[in-house]
Amino acid sequence: LPSSKSIYYHSVLYCSLCWNITKKPAIHGTSGTLPHFLQEPDDAYIIKSNPIKLKCQARPALQIFFKCNGEWVHQSQHQSQEHTDQGTGLKIREVMINVSRQQVEDFHGPEDYWCLCVAWSHLGTSKSRKATVRIAYLRKNFEQDPQGRDVPIKGMIVLHCRPPEGVPVAEVEWLKNDEPVDSDENIDTRADHNLIIQEARLSDSGNYTCLASNIVAKRRSLTATVVVFVNGGWSLWTDWSACNVRCGRGVQKRSRTCTNPAPLNGGAFCEGMSVQKSTCNALCPVDGGWEEWTEWTVCNAECERQRSRDCTAPEPKHGGKLCEGAAMGIDNCTGGLCAQSLEGNSDVALYSGLAAGVVMVVVLIVAVTLYRRNQSEYGVDVIDSSALTGGFQSFSFKTARQGNPLLMNSSLQPDLTVSRTYTSPICFQDSMDKELISQEPSLFDPLPDLKVKVHSSFMVSLGVSERGAEYHAQKAHPQTFPRGPAPDYSGVGVEGTLRGRKEKIIFATHPTSMSSRPPLSTAGVFGHAGGRLVVPNTGVSLLVPHGGVAEDNTWEMYMVINQEDSSSNTTSEESQEVVLSPEVTYGPPGLDLSCPVTLTIAHCAEVAADKWSIRLKRQTQDNIWEEVMSVEEESTSCYCLLEAQCCHLLLERPGRYVLVGEPLTQDAMKRLRLAVFGSADNSNPLGYNLRVYCVDDTPCAFQDVVLGERVRGGRLLEEPKTLLFRGNSFSLQLSIQDVPQFLWSIKPFTTCQEFSFSQVWVSNQRPLQCAFSLERYSPASSQLSCKISVRQVKGQEQILQVYTSLIESRAGTLIYNCTITSQTGSRAFKIPLSIRQRICATFDTANAKGKDWQLLAQKLHIDRNLCYFARQHSPSAVILSLWEAQHQDTGDLDSLASALEEIGKVHSTTSSRATGMTTTHASLSLGRSTEELDTEFT
C-alpha cells in the first residue's frame, strides 16, 4: 500500500492540476500534445560539501515535479519558472531542486542516488531520464608508480601507471621534465594509462611523471628516471704505421678508437683491441763503396796529374751512407819541384793544428775524469730515474658499463667523464705480443748476441760507459710459455724436480689425486734468471726473483689452488676465524732457493684499523694448520704486505698457505661479489631462469661461478657489484621486484629468499646461489626487465638491474682472456736487470749520507718489519721483488722513479757546486757521444 506521504503528494498534485484546468482556459492546439522535455537532469557529482542543482524544462507543461529514489520531492523544495513560447504559444515550465551531500550519504540502496522529472499536460504525463548523483573523490596513493630504467638507443620503453581510485575515474597525463608528453607515431600515451615509446631516442632521456586528475583533485606519481644509453662502436682502422726498425724484421701498428659512436650515458665500451700489430720487413740501408781509381792523367802545365773514382761499388741505397773520401785525386808529377816553397808553409800549419787538437783532447779527458770521480763519491749512485720509464709504456683506458664480454644487457650508469682503471685478475700486460708469438713463434725469437744500445743520463750516473749500455738477448727457455694444459699438481709427493744445464733429472715427482674437483694449477721451469707463475683469472701469482735459483740449475716449480672444502681444519670454532683467501700451494717441497719468493693472494676482507685480526697459516705434513704470523706483527721468518684487495707474502718454505681473519668487532666487514646470470628453461619453452650468486669477492671464487655458468649456457645480465657484509649476525635477503605482471609470472613463494648469517659469513670461497623461475604468458614477449634487491638486514643493499632480450644470441661465458701462465727471464720483470743490479749495489751498502736500503724501503712505503730485510743477503733485491709484485698490474715504473728522484735530489744539490766547470765539459763530451751513438743506433 502507498505510504501516507505518497498519498499526500499525489493529492496535492491532483488538486494543483484541477485548479489549473478550471481556472485557466486551454490554449488552442494543446489538447493533443504530451509534455516534451527541452532539458533533462544530468548526472552530477558532489564536490566536498557543495550541493548540486538538478534542472528540468518541458513544453507544454502544466506542472513538473522531481522524484528521487522512488520518492516524490516535497513541493517546497522545488523552484519553478514559467513562460510562453512566442513562436508556438505553448507554456514552457522550468523546475530546479538542490541535492546535498548529506542526502546522498544517508541513502542506502542497491544503486546510486538518482532523480528524475515527471511533467503533466492535458493529455497525460512524461518522465525524463534518471540522473545519478555521486560524491566525488580521488585517493592519494597510486596503485602502481612508474619505475625508472636504462634502455639502449632504439630499444622499447614501457612505463606503467595505475592511477589512484576515484569518482569519477581519474584521467592520466604523462609529464616529461614537468612538460606534457604528446602522442605521436613513436610515443603512445593512451594504452591503459601506460607510456610506450617504440624506439628510444637520446632526447627521450628524462624524468617522467604520471599525473592523475578528476574534478576533485590532481595527484602526481613518483618520478621515474629514464636513461637512453649508447654503446660504443669502433671507428675504421687507421693506416699501418711505418716499420719500427730501420733494417730487418720489425713491427708496425694500426689503431682505432671507440668513437663510432662513442659510449654515452653509461653505454658499454667497445669490445676488442684498439691496437693491432703486424710484422714487417724494412729494407736495410746499403752504404756506398768506391770503384777502383782510374789511370793518372798526363801531367799538365801546373805540374799536376789527376785520377778519379765512382761511388758505385755498390751505390748507396735505402738511406745508406755516401762514400767517404775524395772522388778525385791530384798529385804533383815533377817530384815536388814545382811547389817546394808552398810545402814549407803547409807543414807549419799542419803541425800547429795537431798541437791544438792534442791540447783539446787532454782538457776533455781531465774534465770527464773529475766528473766521474765526483759522481762516484758513493761508489755507484742512482740519480736520474728517466731510464726506468724510457723503455716501458704504461696505459690506462676508460670504462663505462662493462668491460665484460659476458655482459649482454648492462644497466650501470657510470660517469663517463671520470677516468677509471680496469683492474683484472693478475695477467701479463704484453698479452698482445704473446699472441703474435704464439702464432708465429719464429718471428720473434731473439737473434743470438743481439746488442741494443741505450742512451740515458741514468746509465751515465750508474757508471755505464758513455758509448751506450748493451743488453744481450738470449734464447728464451722452450718452456717459458707452455702451450698445452698445465700438469696436474693437485697432490704432490715430498720429492721435487731439479734440472741441471743438461736436463739431468735428480728428483722425480708423482702427482696424486687429492680433490674431487679439478684443481686450478700452473707450472713452469725457472733458472737463474727467475720468472713469474700465474694462475689465470684467480688473483694468485708467484714471483721467483733473479738469482734465486743457482747458476747451473733449473727448477720445475708449480702452484695449485685447492678447491676441496677443508675449512673445518683451517679455522677454529673457538676463535670464530673466517677464511679470507683461497688455499694456495707452491712447490716442490724440496725447493732450495737463495732468496725468498713473493706469493700474491687475493682476499675478501674490508681492511680497516681495529676491525680484523688477520693471520697467515700453513699446513703441516700432518694436515694440521699452524699459524705462521699475524700481519700486524713483525717476524723474521716471513713478510706480509696487506693491501686493500690482495696480500703479498715473502716466503722461504714451500707449502700450502691461506689467510684467515678473526673479527674484533661487529663492524668488521668482508666483501661479497654479486652477479646475476640468466638462461632459458630447457624444460619449459616459455620459461626463463635467473640465478643470483653471492660469493667472496676474490677472482678465484668468482671464476668458479663463471665455469659453472659456462656449462649451463648462462649469460651475465648485469655488471657484478660489491656488497659489504657486516659481521653483525644478521641474514642476507634477496628479492625480485618490478616484474611486468601482464607479461611474466613468477613461481609462487620464490619472490623473496634468504641466506642465514652463518652461510654467508663462513662461505669459505664457495658460491651461494638462489634462483628465480619466471614464465612468460606469450611467446611474443621477448623482453624481460626487473630488479633484484640484495640486502643485509641492518646493513648495506645493492640493486641488480636486469634488462635483457630473450632473442639475443647466447654469449660465451669467458670473462677474462688471460691464458699466459708463466714467464721467465727479463720479460717477467718491470725493472731491467742491469738497472736492478745498479740499484742493489747502490743501496745495499750503508754510507755516511744514509743512502742505504732502509731509505729505499722508506721511499717505496715498505718500511714496516725492517728486521726481515736486514737478515737478507741483499735487502734491496728483496725490496725490489716486493715492489715488482705490488705493481705487476699497473705496468709502469712511476713510483720507483719518483722514489729514486727524491733520493737523488739530496746528492744533486750538494754536488752541484763542487763540479763547477768540469760538469760543463763533461756534459759537452756526453752530448757529443750521444749524438754519435744516435747515428749508429738501429
Side-chain angles (χ1 to χ4, degrees):
L1 294 176
S3 64
S4 59
K5 184 176 180 181
S6 177
I7 295 174
Y8 169 76
Y9 284 151
H10 279 84
S11 302
V12 172
L13 289 173
Y14 179 76
C15 294
S16 176
L17 288 172
C18 292
W19 173 260
N20 286 323
I21 294 172
T22 56
K23 296 295 291 181
K24 299 180 181 181
I27 300 175
H28 179 70
T30 63
S31 57
T33 304
L34 287 172
H36 172 69
F37 284 98
L38 302 178
Q39 180 180 357
E40 295 183 277
D42 295 324
D43 297 336
Y45 298 93
I46 296 178
I47 302 173
K48 297 181 180 179
S49 298
N50 301 322
I52 54 97
K53 298 181 182 294
L54 298 179
K55 292 183 181 180
C56 273
Q57 193 179 67
R59 180 186 62 189
L62 300 176
Q63 196 61 267
I64 300 176
F65 284 95
F66 272 92
K67 193 175 187 180
C68 294
N69 302 319
E71 300 289 339
W72 292 103
V73 179
H74 196 276
Q75 186 176 8
S76 62
Q77 298 178 12
H78 291 73
Q79 301 176 20
S80 301
Q81 292 182 358
E82 185 181 73
H83 62 275
T84 303
D85 188 351
Q86 299 297 329
T88 61
L90 301 176
K91 286 184 177 296
I92 299 176
R93 180 173 290 274
E94 180 180 312
V95 179
M96 180 174 60
I97 64 171
N98 291 331
V99 179
S100 66
R101 182 186 184 98
Q102 189 65 38
Q103 289 177 279
V104 178
E105 289 179 345
D106 291 343
F107 172 70
H108 302 285
E111 54 186 354
D112 293 330
Y113 190 99
W114 59 269
C115 294
L116 58 79
C117 294
V118 181
W120 278 267
S121 69
H122 292 284
L123 294 182
T125 62
S126 295
K127 292 183 180 181
S128 70
R129 64 178 294 274
K130 283 184 178 182
T132 60
V133 180
R134 304 175 67 185
I135 298 175
Y137 67 92
L138 183 63
R139 302 196 183 279
K140 292 184 178 181
N141 297 327
F142 278 72
E143 294 185 6
Q144 182 179 4
D145 287 299
Q147 300 293 324
R149 61 189 63 239
D150 297 344
V151 183
I153 193 166
K154 294 187 179 181
M156 178 180 288
I157 302 175
V158 179
L159 298 181
H160 304 286
C161 176
R162 296 175 63 185
E165 179 185 354
V167 174
V169 176
E171 296 181 355
V172 172
E173 180 183 9
W174 283 92
L175 303 178
K176 174 190 171 186
N177 299 329
D178 292 332
E179 295 294 333
V181 177
D182 297 326
S183 296
D184 56 23
E185 295 180 355
N186 191 42
I187 301 176
D188 184 8
T189 60
R190 300 163 296 180
D192 194 21
H193 306 313
N194 299 326
L195 173 64
I196 300 177
I197 301 178
Q198 300 295 335
E199 289 188 1
R201 301 159 294 192
L202 288 176
S203 58
D204 294 325
S205 298
N207 297 320
Y208 287 82
T209 308
C210 182
L211 180 65
S213 62
N214 63 6
I215 59 176
V216 179
K218 292 183 178 181
R219 304 281 187 246
R220 292 173 64 101
S221 69
L222 298 177
T223 299
T225 301
V226 174
V227 177
V228 180
F229 61 85
V230 179
N231 293 324
W234 288 114
S235 65
L236 296 178
W237 289 101
T238 60
D239 295 334
W240 288 101
S241 65
C243 204
N244 67 337
V245 296
R246 295 176 57 189
C247 173
R249 184 173 58 248
V251 177
Q252 58 182 164
K253 302 178 182 179
R254 66 175 182 173
S255 61
R256 56 181 179 175
T257 58
C258 188
T259 56
N260 185 33
L264 189 62
N265 293 342
F269 197 82
C270 302
E271 297 179 4
M273 298 184 299
S274 61
V275 177
Q276 277 188 348
K277 294 183 180 180
S278 176
T279 58
C280 58
N281 288 296
L283 296 175
C284 295
V286 178
D287 295 338
W290 290 115
E291 291 280 1
E292 295 292 332
W293 288 100
T294 61
E295 297 293 333
W296 289 105
T297 61
V298 180
C299 191
N300 58 19
E302 286 79 19
C303 303
E304 292 178 346
R305 58 178 180 175
Q306 299 178 355
R307 64 176 180 176
S308 62
R309 56 181 177 177
D310 295 327
C311 187
T312 56
E315 292 184 2
K317 296 180 181 179
H318 314 307
K321 295 181 180 179
L322 297 175
C323 299
E324 296 182 359
M328 181 172 291
I330 300 176
D331 185 34
N332 191 296
C333 56
T334 61
L337 297 178
C338 289
Q340 185 174 1
S341 61
L342 296 176
E343 286 182 1
N345 295 333
S346 62
D347 290 342
V348 173
L350 173 64
Y351 292 132
S352 299
L354 289 176
V358 170
V359 171
M360 182 174 293
V361 170
V362 171
V363 171
L364 288 177
I365 292 174
V366 172
V368 172
T369 303
L370 292 176
Y371 178 79
R372 287 187 176 177
R373 180 179 301 172
N374 182 69
Q375 290 295 96
S376 60
E377 181 178 347
Y378 293 94
V380 182
D381 203 354
V382 180
I383 296 175
D384 186 1
S385 60
S386 61
L388 291 175
T389 56
F392 298 88
Q393 296 180 356
S394 60
F395 64 91
S396 61
F397 55 90
K398 290 188 177 182
T399 75
R401 332 167 53 87
Q402 143 266 351
N404 202 327
L406 262 179
L407 193 57
M408 296 300 297
N409 295 283
S410 181
S411 60
L412 293 179
Q413 305 179 33
D415 186 356
L416 295 179
T417 64
V418 179
S419 178
R420 302 186 180 179
T421 301
Y422 178 76
T423 304
S424 66
I426 301 170
C427 182
F428 300 115
Q429 295 182 356
D430 51 357
S431 59
M432 185 183 302
D433 294 335
K434 290 178 176 54
E435 289 174 5
L436 291 175
I437 293 174
S438 65
Q439 296 169 4
E440 297 287 341
S442 62
L443 293 180
F444 290 91
D445 285 341
L447 296 175
D449 263 345
L450 178 64
K451 296 184 179 180
V452 180
K453 297 184 178 181
V454 181
H455 317 291
S456 171
S457 59
F458 180 80
M459 294 300 183
V460 175
S461 67
L462 292 178
V464 181
S465 171
E466 62 190 39
R467 292 291 297 174
E470 295 182 350
Y471 290 87
H472 294 266
Q474 297 177 350
K475 287 283 184 177
H477 195 280
Q479 295 192 26
T480 298
F481 305 103
R483 296 292 177 240
D488 183 8
Y489 292 102
S490 58
V492 295
V494 296
E495 300 296 335
T497 301
L498 179 65
R499 297 186 179 183
R501 288 295 182 185
K502 297 182 179 180
E503 301 297 319
K504 181 179 178 181
I505 299 178
I506 303 177
F507 298 96
T509 180
H510 303 284
T512 58
S513 178
M514 293 176 59
S515 175
S516 59
R517 294 192 298 169
L520 299 174
S521 63
T522 182
V525 178
F526 298 94
H528 186 70
R532 192 192 304 269
L533 272 180
V534 170
V535 181
N537 312 323
T538 62
V540 177
S541 68
L542 182 72
L543 182 71
V544 181
H546 175 85
V549 180
E551 189 87 31
D552 297 328
N553 294 330
T554 57
W555 281 96
E556 182 177 5
M557 300 177 61
Y558 62 86
M559 188 166 52
V560 182
I561 299 178
N562 179 41
Q563 292 188 286
E564 63 177 343
D565 191 2
S566 59
S567 59
S568 58
N569 299 325
T570 306
T571 59
S572 172
E573 294 183 0
E574 294 79 4
S575 60
Q576 298 180 346
E577 289 180 337
V578 179
V579 176
L580 299 177
S581 74
E583 298 175 12
V584 179
T585 304
Y586 85 91
L591 183 65
D592 182 19
L593 301 180
S594 61
C595 53
V597 298
T598 306
L599 178 63
T600 299
I601 307 178
H603 66 81
C604 63
E606 182 66 14
V607 180
D610 302 328
K611 301 293 176 60
W612 284 99
S613 174
I614 300 178
R615 304 180 183 90
L616 176 66
K617 287 191 173 185
R618 181 178 185 273
Q619 192 177 38
T620 65
Q621 293 182 352
D622 299 329
N623 293 332
I624 300 175
W625 288 93
E626 62 179 5
E627 181 176 331
V628 178
M629 68 172 294
S630 174
V631 297
E632 295 86 5
E633 301 173 354
E634 294 192 357
S635 172
T636 58
S637 62
C638 63
Y639 188 94
C640 179
L641 180 60
L642 186 66
E643 294 185 332
Q645 295 184 340
C646 65
C647 183
H648 307 286
L649 304 170
L650 292 174
L651 303 173
E652 300 175 12
R653 296 178 59 191
R656 178 176 294 182
Y657 293 89
V658 70
L659 286 176
V660 299
E662 180 180 357
L664 302 180
T665 67
Q666 288 192 348
D667 292 331
M669 295 180 289
K670 77 172 191 175
R671 302 186 311 275
L672 298 180
R673 185 176 299 188
L674 311 176
V676 55
F677 289 81
S679 63
D681 190 345
N682 296 329
S683 61
N684 184 359
L686 299 179
Y688 196 79
N689 295 327
L690 296 178
R691 292 178 294 279
V692 183
Y693 292 91
C694 305
V695 299
D696 290 348
D697 187 22
T698 62
C700 179
F702 188 64
Q703 184 70 2
D704 196 12
V705 174
V706 173
L707 295 176
E709 284 296 327
R710 177 188 300 170
V711 176
R712 293 185 176 184
R715 290 187 296 156
L716 184 63
L717 304 181
E718 166 69 315
E719 186 75 21
K721 294 186 177 181
T722 301
L723 182 138
L724 298 180
F725 189 79
R726 292 182 178 272
N728 56 8
S729 71
F730 288 100
S731 61
L732 188 70
Q733 296 179 346
L734 299 90
S735 61
I736 185 169
Q737 304 170 2
D738 300 340
V739 178
Q741 298 180 358
F742 59 95
L743 295 176
W744 292 84
S745 66
I746 186 169
K747 192 174 181 179
F749 310 110
T750 61
T751 55
C752 185
Q753 303 182 40
E754 186 173 14
F755 292 123
S756 66
F757 172 79
S758 60
Q759 285 180 291
V760 182
W761 192 246
V762 291
S763 58
N764 299 323
Q765 308 290 308
R766 298 297 179 188
L768 299 176
Q769 172 194 346
C770 73
F772 299 99
S773 298
L774 296 92
E775 183 177 356
R776 45 186 171 161
Y777 293 118
S778 169
S781 301
S782 61
Q783 302 287 333
L784 172 60
S785 62
C786 63
K787 292 192 299 187
I788 297 176
S789 169
V790 183
R791 61 179 293 269
Q792 184 187 16
V793 179
K794 296 187 179 181
Q796 199 180 64
E797 180 182 18
Q798 283 285 14
I799 299 295
L800 299 173
Q801 182 74 48
V802 175
Y803 183 87
T804 184
S805 173
L806 274 62
I807 61 176
E808 291 176 350
S809 61
R810 294 191 175 185
T813 56
L814 182 62
I815 291 210
Y816 310 111
N817 57 1
C818 174
T819 57
I820 299 172
T821 59
S822 70
Q823 281 186 325
T824 59
S826 60
R827 294 180 65 86
F829 303 99
K830 301 290 187 298
I831 308 173
L833 176 60
S834 61
I835 297 178
R836 178 187 179 95
Q837 292 173 341
R838 301 294 180 180
I839 294 175
C840 293
T842 300
F843 294 107
D844 278 345
T845 304
N847 55 66
K849 294 190 177 182
K851 207 170 186 182
D852 58 9
W853 63 268
Q854 294 184 5
L855 181 58
L856 177 64
Q858 178 185 353
K859 295 300 181 182
L860 294 180
H861 308 289
I862 312 176
D863 52 353
R864 191 184 63 83
N865 195 10
L866 295 181
C867 60
Y868 177 82
F869 300 108
R871 59 181 288 269
Q872 301 298 325
H873 175 69
S874 175
S876 301
V878 179
I879 292 172
L880 292 179
S881 295
L882 189 58
W883 184 92
E884 288 268 8
Q886 272 188 286
H887 299 82
Q888 58 188 328
D889 290 331
T890 58
D892 63 61
L893 300 167
D894 293 342
S895 62
L896 181 58
S898 300
L900 296 178
E901 283 180 347
E902 291 181 16
I903 298 174
K905 285 179 182 177
V906 179
H907 172 65
S908 62
T909 55
T910 58
S911 62
S912 59
R913 295 182 180 179
T915 56
M917 291 297 294
T918 59
T919 303
T920 304
H921 292 304
S923 299
L924 292 174
S925 175
L926 291 175
R928 282 195 296 271
S929 62
T930 301
E931 182 179 359
E932 181 183 355
L933 287 173
D934 285 341
T935 62
E936 297 176 359
F937 178 76
T938 61

